[in-house]
Amino acid sequence: MIGSVRRVAVGLVAAVSLSGAWGASARPASSDIPARPEKIEFRPLRFEPPKAADFRSVLSTGTPVYMAQSKEVPLVTVIFTFRGGSYLNPKDKLGLASMTGALMRRGGTVSVPAQDLDEKFDFLAAQVNTSIGEASATASINCLKSNFDEAFGLFVDMVRNPGFQSDKTEVYRAEVLEQMKQRNDNADGLLNREWSRLLYGEDHFESAVPTKAMVESITQADMQAFHRRIFHPGNLIIGVVGDFEPADMKARLEKALSGWAAGEKIPLPPAPTHELKPGVYAVEKDIPQGKVYIGMRGLKRGDPDEIAIDVMNDILGGGGFTSRIMNRVRTEGGLAYSAGSRFSFGPYYPGEFRALFQSKSSTVALAAKYVFDEVAAIQSKPVSAEELETAKNQFIDTFPRRFESKRGIVSTFIDDEWTGRPADWWATYRDKVRAVTAEDVQRVAKKHLDPAKMAFLIVGRWDEIAKGDVDGKASMKEFFGGQVTKLPLRDPMTQQPLPAKQ
Amino acid sequence: MIRSIVSALAAAACVAAAAIVSPAPPCAAQQLDVQEFTLDNGMKFLLYPRTEEPNIIAAGWLAKVGSVNERPGITGISHFFEHMMFKGTNTIGTKDAAKDKEFRAKQKAVRDELMKLQLGEQYKRYKAGEIDDPWNPANDTPKMRELRGELAKLMREQLDITQKNEFDRVYTSMGASGMNAFTSEDVTFYFINVPANKFELWAWMESDRLTNSVFREFYAERDVVHEERRLRTESTPTGVFQEQFEAMFWMSSPYHWPVIGWTSDLNSYTMEQAADYYDIYYRPNNLVGVIVGDFRPEEIKPLISRYFSRLERGPREVPPVVTLEMPQMAEQRMNAEGDFQPQIEVRYKAVPFRHADSYPLEVMAQVLNGRTGRLYKTMIDGKKIASSARASLDIRKYGGAFSFEAETKGEASPADLENAWYEELARLQKEPVPEQELQKVKNQFAANTYRRLTSNFFIMVQLGMAENMGGWQELNDGPRKIQAVTAADVQRVANRYFDRKNRSVATYVRASGTDSKEDPELAKLGETMGPMVKQGIKRQLAQLAKETDAGKLRQGLAQMEERKAQAPAQMQPVLEYMAKKVQERIAELEKSGKGGGQ
């Protein structure tokens, strides 16, 4: 228990430590404890973000390299990143990008059989990964400094001359098909797939879903061609982190890339053309909760409102327990375990706004009502000074964390270079946050959020969900005129709609 | 400070391996130089300064309590406490502490009355079969409905003076991040990252909630936990079955019940039970603080003393966990049907933290795992019956378990995976692991010893978890013990823990009707006889399809007729079905000209 005596003493201590040097001697080890945490005096923390130029160099192939040394443990990490991804898939061979990415690691090299390569990497205790995602491809190695040369040599051979060994391809293909069978098992998977379709339309790569026939049609030649197109030094940025000497490392990288010809330039990912149709959508799934996404198209990076929107969304639903949606849906309502929102800025085309929660069937409508209430509230009234300050401080004071690890620094700069982020973005970031006002927050909420233009997607037991809660506080009749579009379950292997179960 | 030393034993092993293959990694063992520091009230702190991540400190504390310390009636209360600890104190979270106290007293009175009816009248009606669920508000009596309304009203009114989520807001507005906590069977762990100049904020906030907590929103928060249970357990493909398997696996041990608790218990915790629990387990003599990051120990020790010395040692000693797991006397099986990939788990009772056999068991799991591990080679690459397969050792404070888990591929059944596992096991029991294979695994352990020490946050979690189970020093000692494991050790443990009666098996098959290609006759048998019988038939059918010797099949058919005469009535349809299939196969072979026997 803290007695009132201690509380009285607090103001005094704070005053003393203002003038004195911070440390044990300035503050005697008495029982003085401030009444509130805001009254603690903290020494200032100075932090200037690192500059990309200090980490960047260029190889003779024109390939940029970001290097950050760390001698804490005798490990070295090298990351090769390439532009390109599933947006380059032929329409009838969706799944080619990810299969190529997986088989580069699993299928050996032209001269080393897959089994031998795996055994060597494992014996050397090297962690090697390759993957091709939606918009970028990565090959990375993390290994002990002591055997770097051997492990890295194998790694470079794998990246340059992958074998795509056929038996390993078949094992992987079978795995993919087994995964495919499970597509309708998990409610979150259903939710994400249907959400992408609503937002991006059927024919954009973000919503594209490979079928069994497509996966079966992918050949070794397909993978070789896909690999050749993306993996070359003209389409590469390298990151190195760990226990190495920069000059020495640069020489090794030069050697690794020598004789590797640059290929053609890769186009940027295409923007979606689909127009989202607002309304309620439901997928039937026998689970005791309704899983919900509510949202609409967002904005592209570099929008003048970007930072103000970050602050607005933090207050609305992005800030975890300090956000309004979490407060209303979870803390006050007890209606969900997780609830919140995100507003994303796409590097190549607009991202999305999405509020989400999951609640027992009967209270899905009520929780959704709270979400829409909060969207309306942040549009109609300025946020409080306290909320604004909490959100802004959060961005400003956690800013150093982006650069806390060497790996984080290098990853940030590589991403910035690929996506063309302005050079002074981080240097002025905190000032941009400081400049956001309550009026800005209200203005961007009005301008960029529009409930009438949103899609409201639910996976769960529709009949229970539609009825609403026992007390009659909300039902699904309240949204979009009570209309619902039932989305069919799709055959997991063909993605053709299945007849509804009776 | 981290310094690396080379274990003589491990180095010797490396040299031996180097002769066989290309240069092996140095089998160095990383040593953490952790400072221990204990206050007069018994609260222990582990300090580990680390400047690799400048300006940040990962700070946490743990209560040495988890579901293993619970008992029937209050299962899940450790996890519920984790939620309560974020609800504020007399200082944080309310605009009016006195009024807040009044509200809590009023709520408690109403709630106690309601609970009396719930556990009295409603349970009686439930037992008599008058209602299907005593906890469903739709079954409330008028009096209960009235009380529930009153409670809801009091909770609403209290919200007016509540500073919602203020605990989080204070931290967030001062630049702390990643605030969270978790509860397991053995521990409850609370943590956050604070800017390096704000360690005192952490000391203030955490010592405040450890001296000054009031369990605000005690009744409302359980709705959130119910949603968490629905999310994690009831809305995932295998969640409820895994819970049931866990409860079957652990018979007498308190690991028997789920961390999140049984639903009825979650509904009925009382304030007295909570206060009682707090008094035993949330006292400094049962707590450990763990600080990792950019600080100087001499700077933060006075702050720790000042703030955490205000915690008072508990009035009672922490009771020991008494109940041990009884030896299992027979194999246990569970057959689940649902929307999931057919899969299997075979689990064995193993050993607790720091048991001498835990190291060879750990090595054994690693021999089986990974793309060059045995499971991948035989089940995924070789027989092509699995789409994934792994072995794992689950080490806890008072017990442990070794699991084999795999998912099917193609037409394979869980039974195929189960049989393949027993073959793998037999190999480990009969033959010592070859030197090179063992060395590969040890090299990986050695490199991972470094990898796991590259983040403040994960170092903090690992130190805390090890300290809770018996001593943080395990982080330094464990890697050396792993390097000392011999092939004979692995063979010995493979023979010691993996006999039939020590195992529990869970099979998961798709609910009938989800397999479109299935013979309707077989599907019908599956419905009446159960999925295991169906899987058994499928397995035999697969073998039948491979059999090319019609003579052998005719012999088999004759034996089947004999057996059929003695078989119980409910097995008759199965045997008839099989006989029919054998006859079909014989006819097929005869037609293709292979019917001539030898």
Side-chain angles (χ1 to χ4, degrees), chain B residues 63-80:
Chain B
K64 292 193 243 179
V65 63
S67 59
V68 75
N69 304 95
E70 295 163 0
R71 55 179 164 76
I74 62 165
T75 65
I77 202 169
S78 308
H79 171 254
F80 187 66

Side-chain angles (χ1 to χ4, degrees), chain A residues 456-469:
Chain A
F456 178 172
L457 174 64
I458 308 169
V459 174
R461 298 172 187 149
W462 172 255
D463 290 342
E464 287 177 15
I465 290 166
K467 271 186 252 164
D469 62 310

Side-chain angles (χ1 to χ4, degrees), chain A residues 113-410:
Chain A
Q115 295 81 341
D116 295 356
L117 188 66
D118 285 343
E119 293 288 352
K120 282 180 179 173
F121 278 143
D122 274 3
F123 196 84
L124 296 169
Q127 289 183 346
V128 176
N129 292 299
T130 59
S131 71
I132 304 182
E134 290 187 337
S136 69
T138 307
S140 67
I141 179 167
N142 169 282
C143 66
L144 290 159
K145 176 190 179 181
S146 58
N147 58 34
F148 177 80
D149 278 335
E150 185 184 2
F152 186 63
L154 290 164
F155 170 79
V156 171
D157 185 29
M158 180 199 78
V159 174
R160 293 183 59 168
N161 315 300
F164 298 113
Q165 202 170 301
S166 63
D167 58 335
K168 297 292 174 183
T169 304
E170 293 320 309
V171 167
Y172 177 75
R173 203 194 304 274
E175 258 172 55
V176 172
L177 295 176
E178 293 301 334
Q179 287 292 326
M180 202 179 272
K181 286 183 191 166
Q182 302 167 48
R183 274 181 178 156
N184 293 347
D185 294 351
N186 195 312
D188 291 315
L190 278 171
L191 185 70
N192 285 315
R193 245 184 347 267
E194 293 305 332
W195 180 253
S196 294
R197 285 198 176 100
L198 289 174
L199 209 64
Y200 296 95
E202 296 262 353
D203 53 2
H204 190 255
F205 75 91
E206 288 246 23
S207 61
V209 182
T211 64
K212 180 168 184 261
M214 293 179 191
V215 168
E216 282 173 344
S217 78
I218 295 169
T219 65
Q220 191 190 47
D222 291 332
M223 289 189 279
Q224 284 165 339
F226 201 87
H227 166 263
R228 261 197 311 276
R229 185 172 177 196
I230 292 179
F231 290 79
H232 62 78
N235 186 40
L236 168 64
I237 302 178
I238 299 175
V240 190
V241 179
D243 190 357
F244 63 90
E245 298 307 322
D248 175 65
M249 179 56 70
K250 228 179 137 180
R252 278 162 214 260
L253 293 174
E254 288 282 6
K255 197 174 140 226
L257 267 52
S258 75
W260 195 5
E264 62 181 274
K265 210 167 173 272
I266 304 289
L268 296 181
T273 52
H274 178 76
E275 291 264 335
L276 171 86
K277 287 196 190 71
V280 176
Y281 298 85
V283 183
E284 192 66 24
K285 174 85 182 163
D286 188 16
I287 48 173
Q289 281 183 324
K291 292 182 182 263
V292 173
Y293 286 168
I294 298 170
M296 60 185 284
R297 169 102 24 244
L299 293 168
K300 210 177 142 180
R301 252 190 215 173
D303 188 282
D305 288 338
E306 182 168 349
I307 302 278
I309 289 174
D310 280 344
V311 173
M312 182 277 292
N313 184 62
D314 193 77
I315 296 168
L316 177 63
F321 282 96
T322 60
S323 78
R324 291 178 175 188
I325 289 177
M326 183 69 118
N327 255 305
R328 193 83 189 278
V329 175
R330 173 168 164 160
T331 310
E332 282 184 26
L335 304 181
Y337 176 70
S338 67
S341 69
R342 60 187 292 243
F343 197 114
S344 66
F345 293 84
Y348 308 109
Y349 48 81
E352 63 183 275
F353 167 75
R354 187 202 299 174
L356 58 95
F357 63 85
Q358 65 303 120
S359 186
K360 59 184 176 296
S361 302
S362 60
T363 51
V364 165
L366 184 58
K369 186 177 159 151
Y370 289 165
V371 169
F372 282 113
D373 283 353
E374 292 306 332
V375 171
I378 206 161
Q379 291 177 318
S380 60
K381 268 196 306 198
V383 296
S384 72
E386 193 190 21
E387 284 177 305
L388 184 67
E389 192 181 294
T390 299
K392 285 163 68 171
N393 282 353
Q394 191 267 122
F395 283 107
I396 293 165
D397 285 348
T398 60
F399 177 69
R401 292 211 65 193
R402 171 176 287 274
F403 304 99
E404 74 188 13
S405 74
K406 300 283 163 44
R407 177 87 192 236
I409 292 172
V410 164

Side-chain angles (χ1 to χ4, degrees), chain B residues 17-321:
Chain B
I20 310 168
V21 215
S22 50
C27 303
Q30 198 79 353
Q31 294 290 290
L32 290 174
D33 195 1
V34 175
Q35 296 193 29
E36 290 191 20
F37 170 55
T38 306
L39 300 176
D40 291 342
N41 60 18
M43 185 162 179
K44 186 173 177 180
F45 282 84
L46 306 178
L47 310 182
Y48 182 61
R50 180 173 179 270
T51 53
E52 186 60 28
E53 295 171 52
N55 305 320
I56 310 282
I57 298 173
W61 58 270
L62 60 91
K64 292 193 243 179
V65 63
S67 59
V68 75
N69 304 95
E70 295 163 0
R71 55 179 164 76
I74 62 165
T75 65
I77 202 169
S78 308
H79 171 254
F80 187 66
F81 252 95
E82 178 210 315
H83 281 242
M84 279 294 101
M85 289 302 285
F86 291 91
K87 292 300 182 180
T89 64
N90 279 317
T91 317
I92 299 290
T94 185
K95 294 173 195 161
D96 187 336
K99 228 171 166 181
D100 189 69
K101 194 174 170 189
E102 276 172 39
F103 270 121
R104 279 181 277 125
K106 280 188 203 158
Q107 286 168 4
K108 182 181 175 321
V110 176
R111 160 73 190 205
D112 284 353
E113 204 181 331
L114 177 63
M115 206 39 54
K116 226 182 220 162
L117 294 172
Q118 193 89 65
L119 297 175
E121 205 173 321
Q122 284 302 81
Y123 265 44
K124 217 155 130 193
R125 290 171 68 204
Y126 172 65
K127 285 186 284 181
E130 291 165 29
I131 51 173
D132 59 347
D133 177 1
W135 292 104
N136 185 348
N139 294 329
D140 278 2
T141 61
K143 178 67 187 166
M144 287 171 67
R145 205 162 300 144
E146 185 192 314
L147 289 168
R148 208 181 289 282
E150 214 173 309
L151 186 60
K153 189 166 154 267
L154 285 166
M155 294 190 325
R156 261 198 317 277
E157 288 170 0
Q158 187 190 19
L159 281 177
D160 292 339
I161 58 155
T162 300
Q163 298 273 30
K164 279 162 277 168
N165 297 322
E166 187 182 9
F167 187 82
D168 189 295
R169 211 200 60 235
V170 169
Y171 264 134
T172 304
S173 64
M174 296 203 213
S177 58
M179 181 183 82
N180 216 329
F182 65 81
T183 309
S184 75
E185 292 84 358
D186 293 327
V187 72
T188 315
F189 207 145
Y190 302 78
F191 45 80
I192 193 161
N193 296 288
V194 289
N197 61 335
K198 289 186 176 136
F199 178 77
E200 189 173 355
L201 172 65
W202 179 80
W204 196 102
M205 294 292 280
E206 303 302 324
S207 63
D208 181 52
R209 67 169 160 173
L210 280 165
T211 46
N212 223 349
S213 261
V214 293
F215 309 147
R216 193 170 288 124
E217 300 170 78
F218 187 74
Y219 307 112
E221 186 64 12
R222 66 192 72 206
D223 290 340
V224 172
V225 178
H226 274 299
E227 289 296 349
E228 186 178 357
R229 188 186 154 80
R230 282 185 200 104
L231 174 72
R232 294 192 199 281
T233 308
E234 296 168 17
S235 297
T236 53
T238 57
V240 287
F241 302 109
Q242 281 168 0
E243 184 176 273
Q244 185 180 328
F245 187 56
E246 197 76 16
M248 179 178 89
F249 182 79
W250 298 105
M251 298 185 299
S252 53
S253 161
Y255 290 137
H256 170 77
W257 49 78
V259 172
I260 202 158
W262 300 122
T263 307
S264 45
D265 298 5
L266 184 48
N267 282 327
S268 50
Y269 311 135
T270 63
M271 211 48 129
E272 283 92 352
Q273 286 169 337
D276 199 44
Y277 207 72
Y278 192 84
D279 255 355
I280 297 172
Y281 296 105
Y282 276 75
R283 293 296 189 143
N285 40 311
N286 198 44
L287 306 177
V288 179
V290 192
I291 323 291
V292 179
D294 190 1
F295 63 85
R296 287 184 295 132
E298 62 274 22
E299 224 173 40
I300 66 167
K301 278 183 181 172
L303 289 171
I304 290 172
S305 286
R306 183 183 309 151
Y307 282 91
F308 287 92
S309 289
R310 54 183 175 159
L311 275 60
E312 285 170 27
R313 192 181 275 274
R316 283 167 287 175
E317 285 302 306
V318 176
V321 172

Side-chain angles (χ1 to χ4, degrees), chain B residues 56 120 220 222 243 317 392 430 458 469 510 526:
Chain B
I56 310 282
R222 66 192 72 206
E243 184 176 273
E317 285 302 306
S392 57
K430 279 188 213 124
F458 287 108
M469 285 200 283
R510 281 207 180 273

